[in-house]
Amino acid sequence: MAATTRPYGSWPSPIDAGLAASFDGRPEYLGTVGPEVWWTEPRPEEAGRRTLVRRRLADGGPEVTELAAPWNVRSRVTEYGGLPWAGAQRPEGGPLLVFVHFADQRLYAYEPDAPGGPGGPEPRPLTPLSGSGGGLRWADPVLRGGEVWCVLEEFTGPAPTDVRRVLAAVPLDGSAATDRGAVRELTHDRYRFTTGPRLSPDGRRAAWLVWDHPRMPWDGTELRVAEVTADGELADARTVLGGPDEAVAQVEWTAEGALLAVSDRGGWWNPYSVDPRTGWAINLCPREEEFGGPLWKPGLRWLAPLPGDTPHAAGSGSELVAVLHGQGSPVLGILDPESGDLVDAAGPWTAWQPTLAVYGTRVYGVAASPRSAYEVVELDTATGHARAVGAQRPDPVDPAYYPEPQSRTFLGPDNRQIHAHVYPPHHPACRAAADELPPYVVWAHGGPTDHVPPVLDLHIAYFTSRGIGVAEVNYGGSTGYGRAYRERLREQWGVVDVEDCAAVARALAAEGTADPARLAIRGGSAGGWTAAASLAATDLYACAAIIYPVLDLVGFAEETHDLESRYIESLAGPPQTLAVLSRERSPVARADGITAPFVLLQGLEDPVCPPAQAERLLTALQGRPVPHAYVTFEGEGHGFRRADTMIRALEAELSLYAQVFGIDRTDVPRLELET
């Protein structure tokens, strides 16, 4: 069938905003409970909650959603959360689960196979009620005898920085549900931040990670090891690895009691074997690749030891380790620490999330590709066979509408390399006139210490299938390319990120890929800062979508949550220079340089980038004829999770581009721009 010629941006598409919203999110926090694999999964159409899903592997049974609405398996520790559940086999059979419920942040115990009606009895609380998610929060749990060992976050005052964090032991008998005193604290609050404990196979040692202000966990963390006494206390705790300039991203014990850690002491996150007494560390696979990433949330997992003497398709060896590794997007491999051999899993998946689980010879992870969304994948190390086993969803539309990403490297100022993924407009039945260049939107990711992989994202396909190109930029400061690359942003936020995004946009225009008169930029959170700062710094972009952004450095440092309250010091500079730097870089202070139209999308319950940030920008623009729209969402925090919110946000963004780029679209509500 001959393609229809239509202007870029006006192509019809079966990928509407509702479809994109319904496919938002991905499975997270994998774990195995006996011969079953469990994970959390989003439900955008159910007010954005997350549920627990299980699949029985022995009988090849279907996926089962274990917790119906309104249960919401999600922690608020450090606001971003962390591993919200743990499980083990009960002596009498069937799984015992503990999980955090988002609404009240209590820990609950749940026995889905126990008598008590469909799905077993209702979950029972293990921790005290502290009201609307304040007071007490829990994350990164592990079951030990009759207790749950985990992170306890306790607020001690009204400010978001009035908080302490320790390791704690919660009794499984429910005695702490009405008695805070029944919770045993295992560590002191000397350190501001901590992950949950990892227990050695014999139960005699515990290992965990800590760090303190002003460091972020990718700047420097410490690996702590302690002896577990007969009465369940931690004794002789000491730091065995890490420090102010060494970021340990994960710690794990092998089945034979060896201690493994992921450290960037050599400039790249690599796996190490660590002596738990002396701290002597041996790099098990020295490569200029990342075997770890930014520890935004406790419980992320880039490596998982297999049981000793696990058969492997490439041979047999003891203490094999499943690892995620690579430059840019990680892939799954099986590492033999004795030989250093690393064999990657076969299959179409090109990017894996930092969650791994092991049962026998099988490794479970969450992976995606440019043609498939994130799904639960099983690798049988005995045969080398990999297959999707969970969270699979049939293609909602003909895959011919999916974009085809091009991973590219561009040159920026001083000839520095910039990594990006370019998604040209793509449609199976439409094309534009030969003399027309397409509009492009530069996407700046959040973090900013993070990165984006080239995988199927229906939010991107929403635009590319309509004839609008997308370029996702892993600007300097992004993870995935070694410590030196992410250090480029140190004290340069609002400079390097802005320059790198502009360099990609200009290159696409110069080579004839993009229309230089129809370039836009969009981003959320830290990416919202980059988008707004770009409007203030350059006239390159015709418009911008600014989503739950940072807009004022001084205000952000004073108003944001505890985890990021000192982040600005590494991103911009020390406190004594912050006021000057804020005047030089903050979009609020540079609002007089903003002339291009924009839409500002903001959740009204955002504890990370509060609405006050957005409102200051609007105040600074009063009296100036800058077309803009401010769209707010009740009940949304940092990162939109509800389907109706995502639909409204996507349609508002498309309407902005249509108006500014001169595109005729009548299939989305018109966004009213004010001046």
Side-chain angles (χ1 to χ4, degrees):
M1 186 177 77
T4 301
T5 300
R6 301 184 63 160
Y8 284 117
S10 68
W11 301 346
S13 173
I15 303 173
D16 61 19
L19 184 63
S22 70
F23 274 71
D24 187 73
R26 57 178 175 256
E28 291 182 325
Y29 300 118
L30 283 174
T32 52
V33 183
E36 300 180 348
V37 60
W38 290 67
W39 63 89
T40 71
E41 195 169 289
R43 294 289 184 265
E45 69 284 358
E46 297 176 18
R49 77 181 187 98
R50 295 192 71 91
T51 188
L52 270 173
V53 179
R54 75 194 285 195
R55 183 172 180 192
R56 298 176 175 88
L57 300 169
D59 57 8
E63 297 173 24
V64 177
T65 297
E66 279 297 343
L67 291 169
W71 292 109
N72 188 355
V73 184
R74 184 174 150 223
S75 169
R76 282 190 63 184
V77 163
T78 72
E79 296 301 350
Y80 289 128
L83 178 66
W85 74 277
Q89 285 284 90
R90 299 159 63 234
E92 59 271 35
L96 166 65
L97 281 294
V98 295
F99 68 91
V100 179
H101 178 45
F102 181 76
D104 58 19
Q105 287 299 289
R106 300 173 87 180
L107 267 177
Y108 287 80
Y110 178 49
E111 300 174 62
D113 296 348
E122 279 288 292
R124 54 185 175 84
L126 299 179
T127 54
L129 186 65
S130 53
S132 300
L136 305 175
R137 300 175 181 177
W138 317 84
D140 207 6
V142 61
L143 294 171
R144 180 187 179 273
E147 294 180 318
V148 185
W149 285 22
C150 58
V151 177
L152 161 60
E153 179 179 83
E154 183 172 24
F155 283 84
T156 58
T161 53
D162 294 336
V163 63
R164 61 192 293 270
R165 298 176 187 88
V166 296
L167 297 184
V170 178
L172 278 168
D173 62 10
S175 57
T178 56
D179 181 11
R180 166 67 174 83
V183 176
R184 294 193 305 118
E185 294 193 7
L186 301 170
T187 60
H188 300 293
D189 56 5
R190 169 187 167 191
Y191 296 95
R192 191 70 165 199
F193 303 99
T194 181
T195 67
R198 299 294 177 264
L199 300 174
S200 61
D202 61 9
R204 297 171 61 184
R205 283 178 173 151
W208 66 99
L209 303 178
V210 297
W211 69 97
D212 208 348
H213 284 315
R215 298 193 305 271
M216 297 298 286
W218 43 86
D219 296 325
T221 58
E222 298 176 31
L223 168 52
R224 303 278 286 174
V225 176
E227 310 302 316
V228 181
T229 66
D231 56 356
E233 301 290 342
L234 295 181
D236 190 27
R238 65 269 185 195
T239 294
V240 299
L241 197 69
D245 301 310
E246 178 183 356
V248 183
Q250 186 190 343
V251 60
E252 209 73 50
W253 299 92
T254 71
E256 296 182 5
L259 185 63
L260 302 182
V262 177
S263 167
D264 72 346
R265 56 170 41 193
W268 297 80
W269 273 304
N270 279 187
Y272 288 81
S273 174
V274 182
D275 188 312
R277 297 177 301 275
T278 67
W280 180 259
I282 300 173
N283 193 334
L284 300 177
C285 193
R287 294 189 180 193
E288 289 192 349
E289 294 184 4
E290 301 282 43
F291 289 73
L295 188 62
W296 277 105
K297 300 179 282 189
L300 302 183
R301 208 174 186 205
W302 292 269
L303 64 78
L306 281 80
D309 298 316
T310 299
H312 184 239
S316 179
S318 62
E319 298 289 294
L320 296 178
V321 182
V323 296
L324 302 179
H325 72 102
Q327 284 198 28
S329 303
V331 296
L332 174 64
I334 303 298
L335 172 66
D336 184 341
E338 293 184 2
S339 66
D341 291 342
L342 179 57
V343 179
D344 289 341
W349 306 281
T350 55
W352 296 68
Q353 286 296 305
T355 178
L356 291 172
V358 170
Y359 178 73
T361 64
R362 298 177 180 184
V363 178
Y364 298 91
V366 173
S369 77
R371 309 297 286 179
S372 60
Y374 283 103
E375 55 194 359
V376 178
V377 177
E378 174 194 82
L379 169 66
D380 189 338
T381 61
T383 64
H385 177 66
R387 60 176 182 144
V389 296
Q392 297 163 274
R393 302 180 71 174
D395 287 312
V397 297
D398 185 342
Y401 288 93
Y402 295 165
E404 298 178 354
Q406 304 165 359
S407 295
R408 299 180 55 184
T409 301
F410 296 85
L411 290 181
D414 302 320
N415 286 324
R416 62 177 182 243
Q417 289 190 335
I418 306 165
H419 301 282
H421 309 302
V422 179
Y423 296 80
H426 185 78
H427 194 289
C430 286
R431 66 182 181 190
D435 59 352
E436 183 186 2
L437 292 175
Y440 259 81
V441 184
V442 172
W443 284 28
H445 63 70
T449 311
D450 209 339
H451 101 290
V452 285
V455 298
L456 179 62
D457 181 344
L458 290 190
H459 289 247
I460 292 177
Y462 177 77
F463 294 104
T464 58
S465 63
R466 286 167 169 76
I468 299 174
V470 170
E472 287 192 298
V473 182
N474 282 315
Y475 47 81
S478 301
T479 56
Y481 308 99
R483 185 163 188 137
Y485 192 86
R486 71 177 188 269
E487 290 282 346
R488 286 185 190 175
L489 203 59
R490 182 167 291 277
E491 299 190 1
Q492 295 298 309
W493 196 35
V495 178
V496 166
D497 50 323
V498 170
E499 291 177 345
D500 285 2
C501 287
V504 171
R506 288 192 178 100
L508 292 174
E511 70 186 23
T513 297
D515 183 345
R518 295 192 293 174
L519 296 171
I521 187 167
R522 71 98 81 169
S525 189
W529 158 273
T530 302
S534 296
L535 286 194
T538 175
D539 60 1
L540 178 63
Y541 304 103
C543 61
I546 304 168
I547 308 167
Y548 40 85
V550 178
L551 295 170
D552 170 24
L553 290 178
V554 172
F556 180 74
E558 294 173 348
E559 298 162 351
T560 193
H561 61 146
D562 185 52
L563 175 65
E564 295 183 87
S565 62
R566 305 281 297 275
Y567 194 9
I568 291 298
E569 294 179 32
S570 61
L571 291 175
Q576 55 268 32
T577 66
L578 188 57
V580 174
L581 291 168
S582 187
R583 288 194 297 271
E584 293 175 350
R585 301 184 196 172
S586 292
V588 166
R590 303 182 65 194
D592 58 350
I594 298 177
T595 59
F598 65 88
V599 60
L600 183 52
L601 306 169
Q602 178 69 49
L604 293 179
E605 296 181 15
D606 191 335
V608 179
C609 297
Q613 291 272 311
E615 291 158 5
R616 285 194 199 102
L617 178 62
L618 299 178
T619 299
L621 286 169
Q622 282 182 355
R624 298 190 56 244
V626 180
H628 67 275
Y630 182 42
V631 184
T632 60
F633 301 97
E634 295 278 357
E636 288 284 13
H638 197 67
F640 299 152
R641 290 177 170 83
R642 300 183 178 189
D644 55 347
T645 299
M646 288 183 276
I647 291 169
R648 176 74 177 108
L650 273 175
E651 292 182 341
E653 188 177 347
L654 178 59
S655 179
L656 172 71
Y657 300 151
Q659 293 179 56
V660 174
F661 295 157
I663 298 168
D664 182 21
R665 294 215 73 99
T666 59
D667 56 343
V668 293
R670 181 179 175 84
L671 178 69
E672 295 301 325
L673 298 175
E674 302 176 7
T675 55

Short mmCIF file of all heavy atoms in Angstrom, two decimals, residues 7-9 425 432 435-442 467-470 504-520 539-543 660-663:
data_model
loop_
_atom_site.label_atom_id
_atom_site.label_comp_id
_atom_site.label_asym_id
_atom_site.label_seq_id
_atom_site.Cartn_x
_atom_site.Cartn_y
_atom_site.Cartn_z
N PRO A 7 1.89 16.26 6.45
CA PRO A 7 2.93 17.01 7.17
C PRO A 7 3.34 16.30 8.46
O PRO A 7 2.53 15.63 9.11
CB PRO A 7 2.26 18.35 7.47
CG PRO A 7 1.17 18.48 6.46
CD PRO A 7 0.68 17.09 6.22
N TYR A 8 4.61 16.43 8.80
CA TYR A 8 5.09 15.90 10.08
C TYR A 8 4.24 16.47 11.22
O TYR A 8 3.86 17.64 11.22
CB TYR A 8 6.54 16.29 10.31
CG TYR A 8 7.54 15.49 9.52
CD1 TYR A 8 8.35 16.11 8.58
CD2 TYR A 8 7.70 14.12 9.72
CE1 TYR A 8 9.30 15.39 7.85
CE2 TYR A 8 8.63 13.39 9.00
CZ TYR A 8 9.43 14.02 8.06
OH TYR A 8 10.35 13.30 7.35
N GLY A 9 3.94 15.62 12.18
CA GLY A 9 3.16 16.03 13.34
C GLY A 9 1.67 15.86 13.16
O GLY A 9 0.93 15.90 14.15
N PRO A 425 10.77 10.26 13.49
CA PRO A 425 9.34 10.00 13.24
C PRO A 425 9.18 8.69 12.47
O PRO A 425 9.98 8.39 11.56
CB PRO A 425 8.90 11.20 12.41
CG PRO A 425 9.87 12.28 12.76
CD PRO A 425 11.17 11.58 13.01
N ALA A 432 6.20 12.35 5.08
CA ALA A 432 6.09 13.78 4.82
C ALA A 432 6.65 14.09 3.45
O ALA A 432 7.32 13.26 2.82
CB ALA A 432 6.82 14.57 5.90
N ASP A 435 10.67 17.75 0.94
CA ASP A 435 11.36 18.99 1.30
C ASP A 435 11.01 19.47 2.72
O ASP A 435 11.38 20.58 3.10
CB ASP A 435 11.02 20.10 0.30
CG ASP A 435 9.52 20.39 0.23
OD1 ASP A 435 8.74 19.63 0.84
OD2 ASP A 435 9.15 21.37 -0.43
N GLU A 436 10.30 18.65 3.48
CA GLU A 436 9.95 19.05 4.85
C GLU A 436 10.84 18.33 5.86
O GLU A 436 11.07 17.11 5.76
CB GLU A 436 8.48 18.73 5.17
CG GLU A 436 8.08 19.21 6.56
CD GLU A 436 6.67 18.77 6.97
OE1 GLU A 436 6.01 18.05 6.20
OE2 GLU A 436 6.24 19.14 8.09
N LEU A 437 11.35 19.05 6.84
CA LEU A 437 12.11 18.47 7.94
C LEU A 437 11.19 18.33 9.15
O LEU A 437 10.33 19.17 9.39
CB LEU A 437 13.31 19.35 8.30
CG LEU A 437 14.42 19.43 7.25
CD1 LEU A 437 15.48 20.43 7.68
CD2 LEU A 437 15.04 18.05 7.02
N PRO A 438 11.39 17.28 9.95
CA PRO A 438 10.48 17.05 11.07
C PRO A 438 10.82 17.88 12.29
O PRO A 438 11.98 18.24 12.52
CB PRO A 438 10.69 15.55 11.37
CG PRO A 438 12.10 15.29 10.97
CD PRO A 438 12.34 16.16 9.76
N PRO A 439 9.81 18.19 13.11
CA PRO A 439 10.08 18.77 14.43
C PRO A 439 10.70 17.71 15.34
O PRO A 439 10.43 16.51 15.18
CB PRO A 439 8.70 19.20 14.92
CG PRO A 439 7.75 18.31 14.20
CD PRO A 439 8.37 18.00 12.87
N TYR A 440 11.50 18.15 16.28
CA TYR A 440 12.14 17.24 17.24
C TYR A 440 12.02 17.81 18.64
O TYR A 440 12.10 19.03 18.84
CB TYR A 440 13.62 17.03 16.91
CG TYR A 440 13.91 15.73 16.19
CD1 TYR A 440 13.71 15.63 14.82
CD2 TYR A 440 14.37 14.61 16.87
CE1 TYR A 440 13.97 14.44 14.14
CE2 TYR A 440 14.64 13.43 16.20
CZ TYR A 440 14.44 13.34 14.84
OH TYR A 440 14.69 12.16 14.17
N VAL A 441 11.85 16.90 19.59
CA VAL A 441 11.84 17.28 21.00
C VAL A 441 13.01 16.60 21.69
O VAL A 441 13.17 15.37 21.62
CB VAL A 441 10.52 16.86 21.69
CG1 VAL A 441 10.51 17.35 23.14
CG2 VAL A 441 9.32 17.40 20.94
N VAL A 442 13.86 17.39 22.33
CA VAL A 442 14.97 16.86 23.13
C VAL A 442 14.43 16.51 24.51
O VAL A 442 13.82 17.36 25.18
CB VAL A 442 16.11 17.89 23.23
CG1 VAL A 442 17.17 17.42 24.22
CG2 VAL A 442 16.73 18.13 21.86
N GLY A 467 4.65 11.85 13.89
CA GLY A 467 5.56 12.61 13.04
C GLY A 467 6.41 13.62 13.77
O GLY A 467 6.93 14.55 13.15
N ILE A 468 6.59 13.44 15.08
CA ILE A 468 7.45 14.30 15.88
C ILE A 468 8.60 13.46 16.41
O ILE A 468 8.38 12.47 17.13
CB ILE A 468 6.68 14.95 17.04
CG1 ILE A 468 5.54 15.82 16.50
CG2 ILE A 468 7.62 15.78 17.92
CD1 ILE A 468 4.64 16.38 17.59
N GLY A 469 9.85 13.82 16.06
CA GLY A 469 11.00 13.06 16.50
C GLY A 469 11.35 13.35 17.96
O GLY A 469 10.99 14.39 18.51
N VAL A 470 12.05 12.41 18.56
CA VAL A 470 12.49 12.54 19.96
C VAL A 470 13.98 12.20 20.03
O VAL A 470 14.44 11.25 19.39
CB VAL A 470 11.69 11.60 20.89
CG1 VAL A 470 12.31 11.56 22.28
CG2 VAL A 470 10.24 12.03 20.97
N VAL A 504 23.29 18.39 20.96
CA VAL A 504 22.58 17.34 20.22
C VAL A 504 21.53 17.96 19.31
O VAL A 504 21.40 17.59 18.13
CB VAL A 504 21.96 16.34 21.21
CG1 VAL A 504 21.04 15.36 20.47
CG2 VAL A 504 23.04 15.57 21.95
N ALA A 505 20.76 18.91 19.83
CA ALA A 505 19.73 19.56 19.02
C ALA A 505 20.34 20.25 17.81
O ALA A 505 19.84 20.13 16.68
CB ALA A 505 18.94 20.55 19.87
N ARG A 506 21.43 20.99 18.02
CA ARG A 506 22.06 21.70 16.90
C ARG A 506 22.64 20.73 15.88
O ARG A 506 22.56 20.98 14.67
CB ARG A 506 23.17 22.61 17.44
CG ARG A 506 22.64 23.83 18.19
CD ARG A 506 23.74 24.85 18.44
NE ARG A 506 23.21 26.03 19.12
CZ ARG A 506 23.33 26.27 20.42
NH1 ARG A 506 23.98 25.39 21.18
NH2 ARG A 506 22.82 27.37 20.95
N ALA A 507 23.20 19.62 16.35
CA ALA A 507 23.76 18.64 15.42
C ALA A 507 22.67 18.02 14.56
O ALA A 507 22.86 17.81 13.35
CB ALA A 507 24.52 17.56 16.20
N LEU A 508 21.53 17.70 15.17
CA LEU A 508 20.43 17.13 14.40
C LEU A 508 19.92 18.11 13.35
O LEU A 508 19.56 17.72 12.23
CB LEU A 508 19.29 16.72 15.33
CG LEU A 508 19.58 15.55 16.28
CD1 LEU A 508 18.43 15.35 17.26
CD2 LEU A 508 19.84 14.26 15.50
N ALA A 509 19.90 19.39 13.70
CA ALA A 509 19.48 20.40 12.73
C ALA A 509 20.53 20.57 11.63
O ALA A 509 20.19 20.67 10.44
CB ALA A 509 19.21 21.72 13.44
N ALA A 510 21.80 20.60 12.02
CA ALA A 510 22.87 20.85 11.05
C ALA A 510 22.98 19.73 10.02
O ALA A 510 23.31 19.98 8.85
CB ALA A 510 24.19 21.03 11.78
N GLU A 511 22.71 18.51 10.42
CA GLU A 511 22.84 17.39 9.49
C GLU A 511 21.58 17.16 8.67
O GLU A 511 21.52 16.24 7.86
CB GLU A 511 23.20 16.12 10.27
CG GLU A 511 22.08 15.57 11.13
CD GLU A 511 22.50 14.40 12.00
OE1 GLU A 511 23.71 14.25 12.27
OE2 GLU A 511 21.62 13.62 12.43
N GLY A 512 20.55 17.97 8.90
CA GLY A 512 19.32 17.84 8.13
C GLY A 512 18.36 16.81 8.67
O GLY A 512 17.42 16.40 7.96
N THR A 513 18.55 16.39 9.92
CA THR A 513 17.62 15.44 10.53
C THR A 513 16.41 16.14 11.11
O THR A 513 15.29 15.62 11.06
CB THR A 513 18.34 14.63 11.63
OG1 THR A 513 19.39 13.86 11.04
CG2 THR A 513 17.39 13.70 12.36
N ALA A 514 16.61 17.33 11.69
CA ALA A 514 15.54 18.04 12.38
C ALA A 514 15.37 19.44 11.80
O ALA A 514 16.32 20.04 11.28
CB ALA A 514 15.85 18.13 13.87
N ASP A 515 14.16 19.96 11.90
CA ASP A 515 13.86 21.31 11.47
C ASP A 515 14.38 22.29 12.53
O ASP A 515 13.91 22.28 13.67
CB ASP A 515 12.34 21.46 11.32
CG ASP A 515 11.93 22.83 10.78
OD1 ASP A 515 12.76 23.76 10.79
OD2 ASP A 515 10.76 22.97 10.38
N PRO A 516 15.35 23.13 12.22
CA PRO A 516 15.91 24.03 13.23
C PRO A 516 14.91 25.02 13.79
O PRO A 516 15.11 25.54 14.89
CB PRO A 516 17.05 24.74 12.49
CG PRO A 516 16.71 24.61 11.04
CD PRO A 516 16.00 23.31 10.91
N ALA A 517 13.84 25.28 13.07
CA ALA A 517 12.82 26.21 13.55
C ALA A 517 11.77 25.53 14.42
O ALA A 517 10.92 26.21 15.00
CB ALA A 517 12.14 26.89 12.37
N ARG A 518 11.83 24.19 14.51
CA ARG A 518 10.81 23.46 15.27
C ARG A 518 11.49 22.47 16.22
O ARG A 518 11.28 21.26 16.17
CB ARG A 518 9.83 22.75 14.34
CG ARG A 518 8.99 23.73 13.50
CD ARG A 518 7.83 23.04 12.81
NE ARG A 518 8.28 22.11 11.78
CZ ARG A 518 7.47 21.29 11.10
NH1 ARG A 518 6.17 21.29 11.36
NH2 ARG A 518 7.95 20.49 10.17
N LEU A 519 12.32 23.02 17.09
CA LEU A 519 12.96 22.24 18.14
C LEU A 519 12.32 22.58 19.47
O LEU A 519 12.02 23.74 19.76
CB LEU A 519 14.46 22.54 18.20
CG LEU A 519 15.30 22.18 16.98
CD1 LEU A 519 16.71 22.74 17.13
CD2 LEU A 519 15.35 20.66 16.80
N ALA A 520 12.11 21.57 20.29
CA ALA A 520 11.56 21.76 21.64
C ALA A 520 12.41 20.97 22.62
O ALA A 520 13.23 20.13 22.24
CB ALA A 520 10.10 21.32 21.70
N ASP A 539 18.02 30.72 22.70
CA ASP A 539 16.80 30.85 21.89
C ASP A 539 16.68 29.70 20.90
O ASP A 539 15.96 29.78 19.90
CB ASP A 539 16.78 32.18 21.16
CG ASP A 539 17.98 32.36 20.22
OD1 ASP A 539 18.82 31.43 20.12
OD2 ASP A 539 18.08 33.42 19.58
N LEU A 540 17.38 28.59 21.18
CA LEU A 540 17.41 27.45 20.28
C LEU A 540 16.04 26.78 20.16
O LEU A 540 15.67 26.28 19.10
CB LEU A 540 18.44 26.43 20.79
CG LEU A 540 18.61 25.12 20.04
CD1 LEU A 540 19.10 25.36 18.62
CD2 LEU A 540 19.57 24.19 20.80
N TYR A 541 15.28 26.75 21.26
CA TYR A 541 14.05 25.97 21.31
C TYR A 541 12.83 26.85 21.11
O TYR A 541 12.75 27.96 21.65
CB TYR A 541 13.95 25.24 22.65
CG TYR A 541 15.14 24.36 22.94
CD1 TYR A 541 16.11 24.77 23.85
CD2 TYR A 541 15.32 23.15 22.28
CE1 TYR A 541 17.22 23.98 24.12
CE2 TYR A 541 16.43 22.35 22.55
CZ TYR A 541 17.37 22.77 23.46
OH TYR A 541 18.48 21.99 23.71
N ALA A 542 11.87 26.31 20.37
CA ALA A 542 10.63 27.05 20.11
C ALA A 542 9.66 26.97 21.27
O ALA A 542 8.78 27.83 21.41
CB ALA A 542 9.97 26.52 18.84
N CYS A 543 9.80 25.93 22.12
CA CYS A 543 8.90 25.77 23.27
C CYS A 543 9.47 24.68 24.17
O CYS A 543 10.47 24.03 23.84
CB CYS A 543 7.48 25.41 22.83
SG CYS A 543 7.35 23.87 21.90
N VAL A 660 2.61 25.57 18.57
CA VAL A 660 3.86 26.28 18.31
C VAL A 660 4.46 25.89 16.96
O VAL A 660 5.01 26.73 16.24
CB VAL A 660 4.86 26.02 19.45
CG1 VAL A 660 6.23 26.63 19.13
CG2 VAL A 660 4.33 26.59 20.77
N PHE A 661 4.35 24.61 16.60
CA PHE A 661 4.95 24.12 15.36
C PHE A 661 4.05 24.31 14.14
O PHE A 661 4.43 23.97 13.03
CB PHE A 661 5.31 22.64 15.48
CG PHE A 661 6.39 22.33 16.50
CD1 PHE A 661 6.47 21.06 17.05
CD2 PHE A 661 7.30 23.29 16.89
CE1 PHE A 661 7.46 20.76 17.98
CE2 PHE A 661 8.29 23.00 17.82
CZ PHE A 661 8.37 21.74 18.38
N GLY A 662 2.82 24.79 14.36
CA GLY A 662 1.92 24.99 13.25
C GLY A 662 1.35 23.70 12.69
O GLY A 662 1.23 23.53 11.48
N ILE A 663 0.98 22.80 13.58
CA ILE A 663 0.44 21.49 13.19
C ILE A 663 -1.06 21.47 13.43
O ILE A 663 -1.53 21.91 14.48
CB ILE A 663 1.13 20.36 14.00
CG1 ILE A 663 2.64 20.33 13.71
CG2 ILE A 663 0.49 19.02 13.69
CD1 ILE A 663 3.41 19.47 14.68
#
